[in-house]
Amino acid sequence: QVKLMESGGGVVQPGGSLKLSCAASGFSFRTYGMHWVRQAPGKGLEWLAFIAYHGRYKYYADSVRGRFTISRDNSGATLFLQMNSLTGADTAVYFCAKDPQGLDQATPVDVWGQGTRVTVSS
Amino acid sequence: SSELTQDPAVSVALGQTVNITCQGDILNKYYATWYQQKPGQAPIRVIFGQNKRPSGIPGRFSGSSSGNTAALAITGAQAEDEADYYCGSRDSTNERVVFGGGTRLTVL
């Protein structure tokens, strides 16, 4: 059974940083691309970033490019999201999600984690 | 453009059929993927590809596509189908995923 478990959320001050983790199990993590998606309170889904299975290709939404960094540890089956220069607009539930394909292309996700909440507030 | 547009809200009487639509130029090229999200829960995929259902998704869920419009149909809607539904697609660069704004389905 595919399982994704996010951690690392919490309350952070504006301008601060936070690193999210996503522990994967139940599938061959090293052979699939992975995504981060967020959902602000009462709002819809916003795709943030994708990393290819090998980690060499990374793509970002305009809203986070230059501030957020996606990375992965295939030996530890873990996905990461380093978030810097946070503002109130970054307050959201952050989901890690699995790409259904093992390619260098970002395609609509098939499995989602339960999410971790990030609140940016002073 | 890779934007996807959905109606904000739709309602259906219990046991009736409802169609939730998603419009966008990118859908002329790629199939939409549909997600169901209930309050406080993560989304789950209900339809992908050319009308494919993941294991465990009831047969009353189906997908279709015509031109720049994709549709999710629920035939014989149940109370437990009340949720937010999102469409998603890859974009033309294959470097992004885009989501529609979501449709809140109310089962009356």
Side-chain angles (χ1 to χ4, degrees):
Chain A
Q1 178 187 4
V2 175
K3 192 170 184 180
L4 301 171
M5 182 72 70
E6 301 92 339
S7 61
V11 180
V12 60
Q13 291 189 339
S17 298
L18 208 58
K19 187 171 185 176
L20 307 182
S21 300
C22 172
S25 61
F27 68 104
S28 179
F29 179 77
R30 65 178 65 245
T31 63
Y32 289 93
M34 296 293 294
H35 302 256
W36 286 99
V37 179
R38 71 183 177 186
Q39 186 170 37
K43 302 297 185 183
L45 302 172
E46 180 187 13
W47 177 84
L48 298 178
F50 167 84
I51 184 167
Y53 67 98
H54 45 65
R56 293 192 300 273
Y57 294 160
K58 304 175 184 182
Y59 310 131
Y60 297 93
D62 292 342
S63 59
V64 303
R65 185 178 293 114
R67 297 189 302 126
F68 290 11
T69 302
I70 189 172
S71 61
R72 64 190 297 159
D73 173 7
N74 282 344
S75 61
T78 305
L79 177 72
F80 302 100
L81 185 68
Q82 175 67 48
M83 304 186 296
N84 298 330
S85 303
L86 289 164
T87 73
D90 297 313
T91 293
V93 174
Y94 286 72
F95 298 100
C96 76
K98 174 183 164 292
D99 195 285
Q101 304 187 45
L103 303 175
D104 293 336
Q105 302 169 353
T107 66
V109 307
D110 59 351
V111 180
W112 302 71
Q114 284 304 302
T116 186
R117 188 174 301 274
V118 173
T119 301
V120 182
S121 174
S122 55
Chain B
S1 170
S2 296
E3 294 181 354
L4 299 177
T5 301
Q6 297 182 243
D7 292 327
V10 171
S11 62
V12 61
L14 185 67
Q16 296 303 301
T17 297
V18 63
N19 285 283
I20 298 171
T21 60
C22 174
Q23 286 190 303
D25 291 341
I26 196 64
L27 300 181
N28 282 299
K29 187 174 182 180
Y30 297 118
Y31 290 112
T33 295
W34 289 95
Y35 304 95
Q36 176 194 69
Q37 186 181 32
K38 296 181 179 180
Q41 297 183 18
I44 61 169
R45 190 176 64 164
V46 295
I47 291 291
F48 66 101
Q50 189 177 11
N51 191 22
K52 298 178 183 178
R53 279 178 291 108
S55 173
I57 301 302
R60 62 180 180 272
F61 289 88
S62 63
S64 63
S65 183
S66 177
N68 72 340
T69 301
L72 172 70
I74 307 175
T75 304
Q78 302 300 302
E80 61 264 32
D81 299 333
E82 190 162 283
D84 293 330
Y85 291 86
Y86 294 90
C87 58
S89 173
R90 61 168 73 182
D91 84 338
S92 55
T93 68
N94 290 316
E95 295 179 358
R96 284 198 313 151
V97 169
V98 291
F99 293 104
T103 298
R104 177 150 296 178
L105 176 66
T106 300
V107 179
L108 304 172

